[in-house]
Amino acid sequence: KADDRPRGDYDRMPPWARHVQQDKHPAKGEITKSSVTPRGGGYNSARSAKAKVVSVASELGKSIVMALLELEVLGLLASCGIDGKVMLWDIFTGKAKTTLKGHDMGVRCMAFAAASKVLVTGGYDYNLMVWNPYVGTSIHIMKGHIAQIVGVEVLGNASNQVVSADSEGSVKTWDLGTYQCLQTIVVSGA
């Protein structure tokens, strides 16, 4: 049987790698592609649905994914991109479940705190955002960095604390219960 999917490099990417959202009525300037669903480990076109490719700018037509993170206890895969959005994907169906919007600029890193079941994202807007992935809403914005956030990690599996690092060498420890900065370390020579 012949494979009927489009043949561009972009089209061969799995959907989580290209920030795809279901949309029956694309807006002017947006690119539409056939929606993609998994079958036998691969991806092929669905018959009638269209997908909206979320663009960084209407001229670019697509977004670059910066990181992927499995939220194993929820059966989700999170992808973040330079479009400022975080998308949550069902790992069993390959379909987009929700899009988290709130960052003013691109999102570079993510961490999932399994103990409190929250997703923490950091990016180019200097902010850490705490999300409830069950309902797709922002819980809190943690401010305090003076440069782009380049990394965020949870301190242990049962911890309610995260560590974030920015491009100027500041490392901060945050409590996810109070959303307070507990400690700041400035790495000299960074």
Side-chain angles (χ1 to χ4, degrees):
K1 180 177 173 181
D3 187 357
D4 61 344
R5 73 180 160 165
R7 286 292 176 206
D9 286 339
Y10 188 74
D11 294 318
R12 281 188 249 152
M13 298 162 93
W16 47 260
R18 53 189 163 125
H19 272 208
V20 175
Q21 292 179 305
Q22 299 298 326
D23 188 9
K24 293 182 181 175
H25 306 288
K28 183 178 179 183
E30 292 178 307
I31 297 172
T32 58
K33 297 283 182 189
S34 296
S35 116
V36 182
T37 54
R39 184 180 75 184
Y43 291 87
N44 70 342
S45 298
R47 290 188 176 93
S48 63
K50 290 290 181 181
K52 171 175 75 173
V53 178
V54 179
S55 58
V56 177
S58 59
E59 277 64 65
L60 297 177
K62 54 190 164 197
S63 178
I64 297 171
V65 174
M66 298 299 291
L68 297 171
L69 178 68
E70 184 180 9
L71 287 60
E72 188 174 1
V73 297
L74 303 178
L76 298 173
L77 178 73
S79 63
C80 63
I82 61 171
D83 59 358
K85 296 177 178 80
V86 176
M87 293 188 70
L88 300 178
W89 303 86
D90 186 304
I91 60 173
F92 301 107
T93 66
K95 294 184 179 182
K97 302 252 324 168
T98 190
T99 301
L100 309 176
K101 299 175 186 174
H103 280 280
D104 295 327
M105 299 174 80
V107 183
R108 177 149 180 193
C109 52
M110 302 178 288
F112 180 67
S116 53
K117 293 190 177 49
V118 295
L119 179 66
V120 181
T121 59
Y124 298 105
D125 59 2
Y126 306 0
N127 295 326
L128 288 168
M129 294 192 74
V130 183
W131 303 91
N132 178 342
Y134 287 104
V135 293
T137 59
S138 172
I139 297 171
H140 195 77
I141 300 173
M142 297 186 293
K143 299 181 180 221
H145 280 282
I146 58 169
Q148 300 96 349
I149 298 170
V150 296
V152 61
E153 292 291 331
V154 177
L155 293 175
N157 291 338
S159 176
N160 206 29
Q161 295 179 355
V162 294
V163 174
S164 59
D166 67 34
S167 62
E168 293 294 317
S170 291
V171 178
K172 295 181 177 284
T173 304
W174 304 86
D175 185 295
L176 292 175
T178 63
Y179 309 112
Q180 299 294 313
C181 180
L182 303 175
Q183 181 179 25
T184 300
I185 300 169
V186 178
V187 179
S188 61

